[in-house]
Structure formats: C-alpha cells, structure tokens
Amino acid sequence: MADFDIVALGEPLLEFNQTRPGQPEFLQGFGGDTSNAVIAAARQGARCAYLTRVGADVFGEQLLALWRAEQVDTSGVLVDAQAHTGLYFVQHGPQGHVFSYMRRDSAASRMQPEDLAHGLVQRARFLHVSGISLAISASACDTVFAAIVQARAAGTQVCLDSNLRLRLWPVDRARAILREAIGLTDVFLPSMDDMKHLTGHEDPTRTLDWIRAAGARGVVVLKLGKSGAVLDDGEHRRAIVGLRVASVDATGAGDCFAGCLLARRAQGDAWADAVRYANAAAALSTQGYGAVQPLPRPDAVRALLAGA
C-alpha cells in the first residue's frame, strides 16, 4: 500500500488577490497550481505530500506553515537560501481576472532532478504535475520529467494538468513538450481554454482526437469551465455537466478540480463519480476570493451534489 495518495510537484506562490475591482485592496493568500491541487485533495481526506523549493524568506516560511496546517507532508520541500519565493497579483475586471507575476529566478524555478532523491514519488499512488512546472525553467522541466520516470518505474500513476501559460513559453515549445509529457501520463487534465491554443480550434471532439493522436494512453478529462467536463476513458466519451453557483473569483478552480478528482479516485470512486465530485468542488471554490481559502470541505461538496 502506498504511503501517500497524491504527491504533487510544482511552484508555490504567495498570492495578493484584489477584493474590489478597480480598488487597491488586496487579500494576501497562497497559490501555485499544484500546491492548490494538493491542498484541495488533502481537504477531501487524501494523504498528500508536496515537492518543491521555497526561498529562505518569510513567504517560504508561510507556505511551509500552510502545508503543515493542511496536513500536507513537507519532507520533500527544500529551502533555497539563494533565491526568493515567487508571488503574484490577481486583479478583477469586466474580462475576468488578470494575473501579474513576480516569479523570475524563484526558488521553485531552480528545482533540479537531484531534488527527488528523497524517494517520495515512488511512495505515492498518484504523481501530479502541470504545464506551468514544465515552463518556468529548463531545470524545473527536467525535474518534472525525472519525477515522471521515477513514477512510471515504481507503478505510481502520473497525472498532468495542461495549465498552459503562454507568457512563460512560446506556443510551439509548449506544444512540443506537452505532447511528449502527454504520452507518459495515465491521467491528462486539459482545459478547453488551453487546448484551443495548441490545436487551433474549440471543438471538444476534435480536441480529444488531437490528444489521443498526441499519445494519450489513459484517462483524459477535458475541462469546460462552468459547462462541466468531458470524460474520455479510451473507450467512451461522456459529458458531465457543471453546477451553477454565484461565482466571484475563479482563481484556482481548475486546481481544485484536479486535486478533488484524484482524491476521490484514491478513495475508490468510479471516474464519472469522481468527475462529478470535482465539478461540484471546483464550482464551490469560485464563491470566495483567492486560490486556497475557498477550497471546499467534503460536507459542502456533498451538499451541493445532493441539491443538484
């Protein structure tokens, strides 16, 4: 039996989220896609660990305290005395949320394959990684692929969230590296917003065909935002509708989806049931500001599902 349900690898960030559009008022919180996902999973009762580097600064200390408070194992977190912890700002307007990052040369961008010597990847049921970690630096990209190699050798299932950020890398490079990673994963979680940049269209069927042609072997869950998701298990494709709530901030909703999906799979749910649960959790996460604070607990998710 694995020691952990989910081990996630990536870049954590301090978050400053605007609480009133157009006003210089920001709520300090936490972010970073795979960190958000692993906290969401831990809140559902999954046994989780996180792998990264943080700076030897107050922000790094706050992130370590956050993970420990959320019952996320931090034995794979390294403190880098030569770099800072990254941060970002979220502003809200008529076109949705806008992100501004201060992450260049962050501690997480200095991750190296040698950082994985602790062996935590081999002790998990799922390894969760993302396109952001592939993009932030060459050494971080190498670290993600090294973790995938370790996972495959140990029988740990690999989950990849596309999380495409074109400010981090050119689309041609993103397409090439993501295609390589897709072929090595057991679970791929692309969003329609991401895939339109890689495929040039916004049709879910054609998008899933492209993903399969790119080498996806396992389960693919195409996220459609508030419209839900399409589950492709390699034999059948099934649309699973989203749940409507009064949303104020979608920051981290996709990360919440990923973490809750893997948590429910680790706890024995069928794929369709896990997607329904993740849909509901992601919807609830949009009812508050910030990436972490609104991540729901199981009772709230079950209540929304029961009402639906």
Side-chain angles (χ1 to χ4, degrees), residues 99 112 122 192 194 297:
F99 294 88
Q112 305 285 336
Q122 296 92 326
M192 195 69 246
D194 288 351
R297 305 283 179 177

Side-chain angles (χ1 to χ4, degrees), residues 56-301:
D57 49 39
V58 66
F59 292 157
E61 293 172 0
Q62 289 178 5
L63 282 162
L64 283 163
L66 168 71
W67 295 318
R68 290 165 182 155
E70 297 286 351
Q71 305 300 308
V72 174
D73 186 281
T74 60
S75 57
V77 178
L78 302 180
V79 177
D80 188 334
Q82 307 303 315
H84 64 92
T85 304
L87 59 88
Y88 70 103
F89 294 83
V90 188
Q91 293 173 287
H92 303 276
Q95 305 304 316
H97 48 272
V98 177
F99 294 88
S100 301
Y101 292 91
M102 298 180 65
R103 67 181 353 152
R104 185 181 298 276
D105 299 322
S106 70
S109 74
R110 289 159 52 90
M111 286 188 290
Q112 305 285 336
E114 293 78 14
D115 295 352
L116 303 175
H118 43 62
L120 293 175
V121 171
Q122 296 92 326
R123 294 164 56 192
R125 294 186 62 182
F126 290 99
L127 167 69
H128 180 58
V129 296
S130 90
I132 290 176
S133 304
L134 291 167
I136 56 175
S137 71
S139 67
C141 182
D142 290 345
T143 306
V144 172
F145 278 105
I148 290 173
V149 169
Q150 287 187 5
R152 291 176 63 80
T156 298
Q157 296 184 67
V158 179
C159 177
L160 169 68
D161 191 320
S162 59
N163 269 356
L164 179 67
R165 300 292 184 269
L166 292 179
R167 284 185 290 179
L168 291 175
W169 52 354
V171 67
D172 289 342
R173 176 175 170 81
R175 186 184 296 111
I177 291 179
L178 283 169
R179 282 183 72 109
E180 181 70 20
I182 288 168
L184 300 172
T185 59
D186 301 284
V187 184
F188 182 43
L189 305 179
S191 72
M192 195 69 246
D193 285 344
D194 288 351
M195 295 308 299
K196 68 184 180 184
H197 296 291
L198 301 181
T199 67
H201 59 73
E202 299 184 57
D203 177 71
T205 298
R206 291 177 63 193
T207 297
L208 288 166
D209 290 343
W210 186 95
I211 291 167
R212 289 297 176 189
R217 303 170 298 104
V219 170
V220 179
V221 184
L222 179 61
K223 296 175 287 183
L224 306 176
K226 63 185 179 182
S227 297
V230 180
L231 170 63
D232 179 345
D233 63 7
E235 296 183 4
H236 304 95
R237 291 175 181 174
R238 181 174 182 178
I240 297 178
V241 299
L243 299 174
R244 299 304 177 101
V245 298
S247 299
V248 296
D249 179 17
T251 303
D255 308 328
C256 178
F257 183 100
C260 291
L261 178 77
L262 295 181
R264 292 311 310 169
R265 278 296 293 168
Q267 292 164 14
D269 279 10
W271 276 109
D273 292 333
V275 173
R276 289 191 194 92
Y277 188 99
N279 268 340
L284 288 171
S285 75
T286 70
Q287 292 187 301
Y289 287 101
V292 171
Q293 189 278 329
L295 294 172
R297 305 283 179 177
D299 287 350
V301 181

